[in-house]
PDB file of all heavy atoms in Angstrom:
ATOM      1  N   SER L   1       0.816  -1.223   0.000  1.00 98.00           N
ATOM      2  CA  SER L   1       0.000   0.000   0.000  1.00 98.00           C
ATOM      3  C   SER L   1       0.848   1.271   0.000  1.00 98.00           C
ATOM      4  O   SER L   1       0.311   2.367  -0.114  1.00 98.00           O
ATOM      5  CB  SER L   1      -0.926   0.005   1.213  1.00 98.00           C
ATOM      6  OG  SER L   1      -0.187   0.202   2.400  1.00 98.00           O
ATOM      7  N   GLY L   2       2.161   1.128   0.163  1.00 97.00           N
ATOM      8  CA  GLY L   2       3.039   2.288   0.188  1.00 97.00           C
ATOM      9  C   GLY L   2       3.216   2.898   1.562  1.00 97.00           C
ATOM     10  O   GLY L   2       3.883   3.923   1.719  1.00 97.00           O
ATOM     11  N   GLU L   3       2.645   2.262   2.580  1.00 97.00           N
ATOM     12  CA  GLU L   3       2.775   2.772   3.947  1.00 97.00           C
ATOM     13  C   GLU L   3       4.224   2.690   4.432  1.00 97.00           C
ATOM     14  O   GLU L   3       4.693   3.569   5.146  1.00 97.00           O
ATOM     15  CB  GLU L   3       1.858   1.969   4.877  1.00 97.00           C
ATOM     16  CG  GLU L   3       1.838   2.456   6.297  1.00 97.00           C
ATOM     17  CD  GLU L   3       0.921   1.623   7.170  1.00 97.00           C
ATOM     18  OE1 GLU L   3      -0.046   1.025   6.653  1.00 97.00           O
ATOM     19  OE2 GLU L   3       1.188   1.559   8.386  1.00 97.00           O
ATOM     20  N   ILE L   4       4.921   1.625   4.049  1.00 96.00           N
ATOM     21  CA  ILE L   4       6.344   1.502   4.362  1.00 96.00           C
ATOM     22  C   ILE L   4       7.108   1.262   3.062  1.00 96.00           C
ATOM     23  O   ILE L   4       6.538   0.793   2.071  1.00 96.00           O
ATOM     24  CB  ILE L   4       6.647   0.365   5.371  1.00 96.00           C
ATOM     25  CG1 ILE L   4       6.253  -1.005   4.796  1.00 96.00           C
ATOM     26  CG2 ILE L   4       5.986   0.628   6.703  1.00 96.00           C
ATOM     27  CD1 ILE L   4       6.706  -2.187   5.642  1.00 96.00           C
ATOM     28  N   ILE L   5       8.369   1.605   3.077  1.00 96.00           N
ATOM     29  CA  ILE L   5       9.234   1.405   1.910  1.00 96.00           C
ATOM     30  C   ILE L   5      10.243   0.323   2.262  1.00 96.00           C
ATOM     31  O   ILE L   5      10.853   0.355   3.333  1.00 96.00           O
ATOM     32  CB  ILE L   5       9.964   2.711   1.538  1.00 96.00           C
ATOM     33  CG1 ILE L   5       8.947   3.784   1.149  1.00 96.00           C
ATOM     34  CG2 ILE L   5      10.965   2.473   0.420  1.00 96.00           C
ATOM     35  CD1 ILE L   5       9.546   5.171   0.986  1.00 96.00           C
ATOM     36  N   LEU L   6      10.410  -0.645   1.373  1.00 96.00           N
ATOM     37  CA  LEU L   6      11.382  -1.711   1.572  1.00 96.00           C
ATOM     38  C   LEU L   6      12.505  -1.578   0.559  1.00 96.00           C
ATOM     39  O   LEU L   6      12.269  -1.168  -0.578  1.00 96.00           O
ATOM     40  CB  LEU L   6      10.720  -3.087   1.408  1.00 96.00           C
ATOM     41  CG  LEU L   6       9.563  -3.432   2.343  1.00 96.00           C
ATOM     42  CD1 LEU L   6       9.068  -4.848   2.072  1.00 96.00           C
ATOM     43  CD2 LEU L   6       9.964  -3.273   3.800  1.00 96.00           C
ATOM     44  N   ASN L   7      13.712  -1.957   0.970  1.00 95.00           N
ATOM     45  CA  ASN L   7      14.810  -1.977   0.022  1.00 95.00           C
ATOM     46  C   ASN L   7      14.686  -3.223  -0.874  1.00 95.00           C
ATOM     47  O   ASN L   7      13.824  -4.078  -0.646  1.00 95.00           O
ATOM     48  CB  ASN L   7      16.169  -1.904   0.732  1.00 95.00           C
ATOM     49  CG  ASN L   7      16.438  -3.109   1.610  1.00 95.00           C
ATOM     50  OD1 ASN L   7      15.868  -4.180   1.452  1.00 95.00           O
ATOM     51  ND2 ASN L   7      17.326  -2.936   2.571  1.00 95.00           N
ATOM     52  N   GLU L   8      15.551  -3.321  -1.851  1.00 96.00           N
ATOM     53  CA  GLU L   8      15.462  -4.407  -2.830  1.00 96.00           C
ATOM     54  C   GLU L   8      15.583  -5.783  -2.185  1.00 96.00           C
ATOM     55  O   GLU L   8      14.879  -6.720  -2.570  1.00 96.00           O
ATOM     56  CB  GLU L   8      16.529  -4.229  -3.920  1.00 96.00           C
ATOM     57  CG  GLU L   8      16.378  -5.177  -5.083  1.00 96.00           C
ATOM     58  CD  GLU L   8      15.033  -5.088  -5.803  1.00 96.00           C
ATOM     59  OE1 GLU L   8      14.475  -3.977  -5.935  1.00 96.00           O
ATOM     60  OE2 GLU L   8      14.520  -6.146  -6.230  1.00 96.00           O
ATOM     61  N   LYS L   9      16.451  -5.923  -1.203  1.00 95.00           N
ATOM     62  CA  LYS L   9      16.626  -7.224  -0.526  1.00 95.00           C
ATOM     63  C   LYS L   9      15.360  -7.642   0.210  1.00 95.00           C
ATOM     64  O   LYS L   9      14.974  -8.812   0.184  1.00 95.00           O
ATOM     65  CB  LYS L   9      17.808  -7.173   0.452  1.00 95.00           C
ATOM     66  CG  LYS L   9      19.146  -7.028  -0.215  1.00 95.00           C
ATOM     67  CD  LYS L   9      19.543  -8.314  -0.894  1.00 95.00           C
ATOM     68  CE  LYS L   9      20.953  -8.195  -1.448  1.00 95.00           C
ATOM     69  NZ  LYS L   9      21.297  -9.289  -2.329  1.00 95.00           N
ATOM     70  N   ARG L  10      14.717  -6.704   0.876  1.00 95.00           N
ATOM     71  CA  ARG L  10      13.468  -7.045   1.581  1.00 95.00           C
ATOM     72  C   ARG L  10      12.352  -7.366   0.602  1.00 95.00           C
ATOM     73  O   ARG L  10      11.531  -8.238   0.864  1.00 95.00           O
ATOM     74  CB  ARG L  10      13.043  -5.910   2.515  1.00 95.00           C
ATOM     75  CG  ARG L  10      13.858  -5.864   3.765  1.00 95.00           C
ATOM     76  CD  ARG L  10      13.143  -5.097   4.840  1.00 95.00           C
ATOM     77  NE  ARG L  10      14.071  -4.717   5.890  1.00 95.00           N
ATOM     78  CZ  ARG L  10      13.706  -4.089   6.981  1.00 95.00           C
ATOM     79  NH1 ARG L  10      12.459  -3.747   7.170  1.00 95.00           N
ATOM     80  NH2 ARG L  10      14.602  -3.786   7.887  1.00 95.00           N
ATOM     81  N   ILE L  11      12.320  -6.672  -0.517  1.00 97.00           N
ATOM     82  CA  ILE L  11      11.319  -6.983  -1.545  1.00 97.00           C
ATOM     83  C   ILE L  11      11.545  -8.393  -2.066  1.00 97.00           C
ATOM     84  O   ILE L  11      10.598  -9.177  -2.216  1.00 97.00           O
ATOM     85  CB  ILE L  11      11.356  -5.942  -2.683  1.00 97.00           C
ATOM     86  CG1 ILE L  11      10.888  -4.573  -2.165  1.00 97.00           C
ATOM     87  CG2 ILE L  11      10.502  -6.395  -3.866  1.00 97.00           C
ATOM     88  CD1 ILE L  11      11.135  -3.421  -3.109  1.00 97.00           C
ATOM     89  N   GLN L  12      12.806  -8.742  -2.320  1.00 98.00           N
ATOM     90  CA  GLN L  12      13.117 -10.102  -2.769  1.00 98.00           C
ATOM     91  C   GLN L  12      12.716 -11.132  -1.710  1.00 98.00           C
ATOM     92  O   GLN L  12      12.201 -12.202  -2.043  1.00 98.00           O
ATOM     93  CB  GLN L  12      14.611 -10.236  -3.081  1.00 98.00           C
ATOM     94  CG  GLN L  12      15.032  -9.477  -4.322  1.00 98.00           C
ATOM     95  CD  GLN L  12      16.545  -9.463  -4.498  1.00 98.00           C
ATOM     96  OE1 GLN L  12      17.304  -9.938  -3.664  1.00 98.00           O
ATOM     97  NE2 GLN L  12      16.988  -8.880  -5.607  1.00 98.00           N
ATOM     98  N   LEU L  13      12.938 -10.807  -0.451  1.00 97.00           N
ATOM     99  CA  LEU L  13      12.545 -11.707   0.629  1.00 97.00           C
ATOM    100  C   LEU L  13      11.032 -11.930   0.625  1.00 97.00           C
ATOM    101  O   LEU L  13      10.568 -13.068   0.678  1.00 97.00           O
ATOM    102  CB  LEU L  13      12.986 -11.150   1.985  1.00 97.00           C
ATOM    103  CG  LEU L  13      12.456 -11.894   3.214  1.00 97.00           C
ATOM    104  CD1 LEU L  13      13.022 -13.310   3.288  1.00 97.00           C
ATOM    105  CD2 LEU L  13      12.762 -11.111   4.485  1.00 97.00           C
ATOM    106  N   VAL L  14      10.265 -10.854   0.558  1.00 98.00           N
ATOM    107  CA  VAL L  14       8.806 -10.964   0.560  1.00 98.00           C
ATOM    108  C   VAL L  14       8.335 -11.789  -0.638  1.00 98.00           C
ATOM    109  O   VAL L  14       7.492 -12.685  -0.489  1.00 98.00           O
ATOM    110  CB  VAL L  14       8.143  -9.565   0.569  1.00 98.00           C
ATOM    111  CG1 VAL L  14       6.654  -9.655   0.257  1.00 98.00           C
ATOM    112  CG2 VAL L  14       8.377  -8.879   1.910  1.00 98.00           C
ATOM    113  N   GLU L  15       8.887 -11.513  -1.808  1.00 98.00           N
ATOM    114  CA  GLU L  15       8.488 -12.268  -3.003  1.00 98.00           C
ATOM    115  C   GLU L  15       8.815 -13.745  -2.863  1.00 98.00           C
ATOM    116  O   GLU L  15       8.015 -14.607  -3.216  1.00 98.00           O
ATOM    117  CB  GLU L  15       9.155 -11.669  -4.244  1.00 98.00           C
ATOM    118  CG  GLU L  15       8.592 -10.310  -4.600  1.00 98.00           C
ATOM    119  CD  GLU L  15       9.372  -9.583  -5.693  1.00 98.00           C
ATOM    120  OE1 GLU L  15      10.510 -10.016  -6.029  1.00 98.00           O
ATOM    121  OE2 GLU L  15       8.852  -8.564  -6.196  1.00 98.00           O
ATOM    122  N   TRP L  16       9.995 -14.065  -2.324  1.00 98.00           N
ATOM    123  CA  TRP L  16      10.376 -15.464  -2.124  1.00 98.00           C
ATOM    124  C   TRP L  16       9.461 -16.143  -1.108  1.00 98.00           C
ATOM    125  O   TRP L  16       9.012 -17.270  -1.321  1.00 98.00           O
ATOM    126  CB  TRP L  16      11.837 -15.542  -1.669  1.00 98.00           C
ATOM    127  CG  TRP L  16      12.263 -16.938  -1.324  1.00 98.00           C
ATOM    128  CD1 TRP L  16      12.507 -17.957  -2.196  1.00 98.00           C
ATOM    129  CD2 TRP L  16      12.470 -17.455  -0.018  1.00 98.00           C
ATOM    130  NE1 TRP L  16      12.865 -19.092  -1.495  1.00 98.00           N
ATOM    131  CE2 TRP L  16      12.850 -18.804  -0.157  1.00 98.00           C
ATOM    132  CE3 TRP L  16      12.380 -16.908   1.268  1.00 98.00           C
ATOM    133  CZ2 TRP L  16      13.133 -19.616   0.936  1.00 98.00           C
ATOM    134  CZ3 TRP L  16      12.670 -17.716   2.347  1.00 98.00           C
ATOM    135  CH2 TRP L  16      13.034 -19.048   2.177  1.00 98.00           C
ATOM    136  N   LEU L  17       9.173 -15.446  -0.002  1.00 98.00           N
ATOM    137  CA  LEU L  17       8.284 -16.017   1.011  1.00 98.00           C
ATOM    138  C   LEU L  17       6.906 -16.293   0.437  1.00 98.00           C
ATOM    139  O   LEU L  17       6.332 -17.366   0.669  1.00 98.00           O
ATOM    140  CB  LEU L  17       8.172 -15.078   2.217  1.00 98.00           C
ATOM    141  CG  LEU L  17       9.407 -14.948   3.099  1.00 98.00           C
ATOM    142  CD1 LEU L  17       9.232 -13.811   4.103  1.00 98.00           C
ATOM    143  CD2 LEU L  17       9.725 -16.258   3.804  1.00 98.00           C
ATOM    144  N   GLU L  18       6.374 -15.336  -0.328  1.00 97.00           N
ATOM    145  CA  GLU L  18       5.041 -15.517  -0.908  1.00 97.00           C
ATOM    146  C   GLU L  18       5.007 -16.659  -1.913  1.00 97.00           C
ATOM    147  O   GLU L  18       4.026 -17.396  -1.986  1.00 97.00           O
ATOM    148  CB  GLU L  18       4.570 -14.220  -1.571  1.00 97.00           C
ATOM    149  CG  GLU L  18       4.197 -13.150  -0.574  1.00 97.00           C
ATOM    150  CD  GLU L  18       3.670 -11.892  -1.237  1.00 97.00           C
ATOM    151  OE1 GLU L  18       4.207 -11.478  -2.282  1.00 97.00           O
ATOM    152  OE2 GLU L  18       2.701 -11.328  -0.691  1.00 97.00           O
ATOM    153  N   GLN L  19       6.058 -16.805  -2.674  1.00 97.00           N
ATOM    154  CA  GLN L  19       6.086 -17.821  -3.728  1.00 97.00           C
ATOM    155  C   GLN L  19       6.445 -19.212  -3.198  1.00 97.00           C
ATOM    156  O   GLN L  19       5.820 -20.205  -3.576  1.00 97.00           O
ATOM    157  CB  GLN L  19       7.083 -17.418  -4.810  1.00 97.00           C
ATOM    158  CG  GLN L  19       7.180 -18.415  -5.944  1.00 97.00           C
ATOM    159  CD  GLN L  19       8.177 -17.965  -7.006  1.00 97.00           C
ATOM    160  OE1 GLN L  19       8.530 -16.802  -7.098  1.00 97.00           O
ATOM    161  NE2 GLN L  19       8.637 -18.909  -7.804  1.00 97.00           N
ATOM    162  N   ASP L  20       7.453 -19.291  -2.329  1.00 97.00           N
ATOM    163  CA  ASP L  20       8.020 -20.591  -1.969  1.00 97.00           C
ATOM    164  C   ASP L  20       7.749 -21.068  -0.544  1.00 97.00           C
ATOM    165  O   ASP L  20       7.973 -22.245  -0.251  1.00 97.00           O
ATOM    166  CB  ASP L  20       9.542 -20.573  -2.187  1.00 97.00           C
ATOM    167  CG  ASP L  20       9.908 -20.374  -3.645  1.00 97.00           C
ATOM    168  OD1 ASP L  20       9.124 -20.776  -4.525  1.00 97.00           O
ATOM    169  OD2 ASP L  20      10.983 -19.816  -3.906  1.00 97.00           O
ATOM    170  N   ILE L  21       7.317 -20.205   0.334  1.00 97.00           N
ATOM    171  CA  ILE L  21       7.121 -20.617   1.733  1.00 97.00           C
ATOM    172  C   ILE L  21       5.648 -20.560   2.138  1.00 97.00           C
ATOM    173  O   ILE L  21       5.087 -21.559   2.598  1.00 97.00           O
ATOM    174  CB  ILE L  21       7.970 -19.745   2.693  1.00 97.00           C
ATOM    175  CG1 ILE L  21       9.463 -19.870   2.362  1.00 97.00           C
ATOM    176  CG2 ILE L  21       7.693 -20.107   4.157  1.00 97.00           C
ATOM    177  CD1 ILE L  21      10.039 -21.267   2.492  1.00 97.00           C
ATOM    178  N   LEU L  22       5.017 -19.428   1.954  1.00 97.00           N
ATOM    179  CA  LEU L  22       3.644 -19.252   2.438  1.00 97.00           C
ATOM    180  C   LEU L  22       2.627 -20.088   1.663  1.00 97.00           C
ATOM    181  O   LEU L  22       1.473 -20.211   2.088  1.00 97.00           O
ATOM    182  CB  LEU L  22       3.260 -17.769   2.408  1.00 97.00           C
ATOM    183  CG  LEU L  22       4.141 -16.862   3.278  1.00 97.00           C
ATOM    184  CD1 LEU L  22       3.719 -15.408   3.126  1.00 97.00           C
ATOM    185  CD2 LEU L  22       4.104 -17.298   4.731  1.00 97.00           C
ATOM    186  N   THR L  23       3.043 -20.668   0.563  1.00 97.00           N
ATOM    187  CA  THR L  23       2.149 -21.503  -0.245  1.00 97.00           C
ATOM    188  C   THR L  23       2.232 -22.982   0.133  1.00 97.00           C
ATOM    189  O   THR L  23       1.458 -23.786  -0.371  1.00 97.00           O
ATOM    190  CB  THR L  23       2.509 -21.363  -1.737  1.00 97.00           C
ATOM    191  OG1 THR L  23       3.899 -21.695  -1.907  1.00 97.00           O
ATOM    192  CG2 THR L  23       2.240 -19.957  -2.229  1.00 97.00           C
ATOM    193  N   ARG L  24       3.137 -23.337   0.992  1.00 96.00           N
ATOM    194  CA  ARG L  24       3.365 -24.748   1.328  1.00 96.00           C
ATOM    195  C   ARG L  24       2.353 -25.248   2.355  1.00 96.00           C
ATOM    196  O   ARG L  24       1.866 -24.486   3.192  1.00 96.00           O
ATOM    197  CB  ARG L  24       4.784 -24.939   1.840  1.00 96.00           C
ATOM    198  CG  ARG L  24       5.796 -24.623   0.731  1.00 96.00           C
ATOM    199  CD  ARG L  24       7.189 -24.787   1.155  1.00 96.00           C
ATOM    200  NE  ARG L  24       7.487 -26.150   1.604  1.00 96.00           N
ATOM    201  CZ  ARG L  24       8.722 -26.602   1.731  1.00 96.00           C
ATOM    202  NH1 ARG L  24       9.745 -25.836   1.432  1.00 96.00           N
ATOM    203  NH2 ARG L  24       8.932 -27.825   2.171  1.00 96.00           N
ATOM    204  N   ASP L  25       2.079 -26.537   2.309  1.00 96.00           N
ATOM    205  CA  ASP L  25       1.162 -27.120   3.279  1.00 96.00           C
ATOM    206  C   ASP L  25       1.861 -28.083   4.241  1.00 96.00           C
ATOM    207  O   ASP L  25       1.204 -28.754   5.032  1.00 96.00           O
ATOM    208  CB  ASP L  25      -0.007 -27.817   2.581  1.00 96.00           C
ATOM    209  CG  ASP L  25       0.438 -28.928   1.655  1.00 96.00           C
ATOM    210  OD1 ASP L  25       1.647 -29.237   1.601  1.00 96.00           O
ATOM    211  OD2 ASP L  25      -0.434 -29.506   0.976  1.00 96.00           O
ATOM    212  N   ASP L  26       3.204 -28.129   4.187  1.00 97.00           N
ATOM    213  CA  ASP L  26       3.951 -29.000   5.094  1.00 97.00           C
ATOM    214  C   ASP L  26       4.594 -28.218   6.240  1.00 97.00           C
ATOM    215  O   ASP L  26       5.426 -28.734   6.970  1.00 97.00           O
ATOM    216  CB  ASP L  26       5.022 -29.790   4.341  1.00 97.00           C
ATOM    217  CG  ASP L  26       6.075 -28.896   3.700  1.00 97.00           C
ATOM    218  OD1 ASP L  26       5.761 -27.718   3.393  1.00 97.00           O
ATOM    219  OD2 ASP L  26       7.211 -29.366   3.494  1.00 97.00           O
TER     220      ASP L  26
END
């Protein structure tokens, strides 16, 4: 929403978590 600003590393972290971790059922 733009409330906080993240650097590139944190953006990569969020994208990785959303794609590879938060989608898992194990």
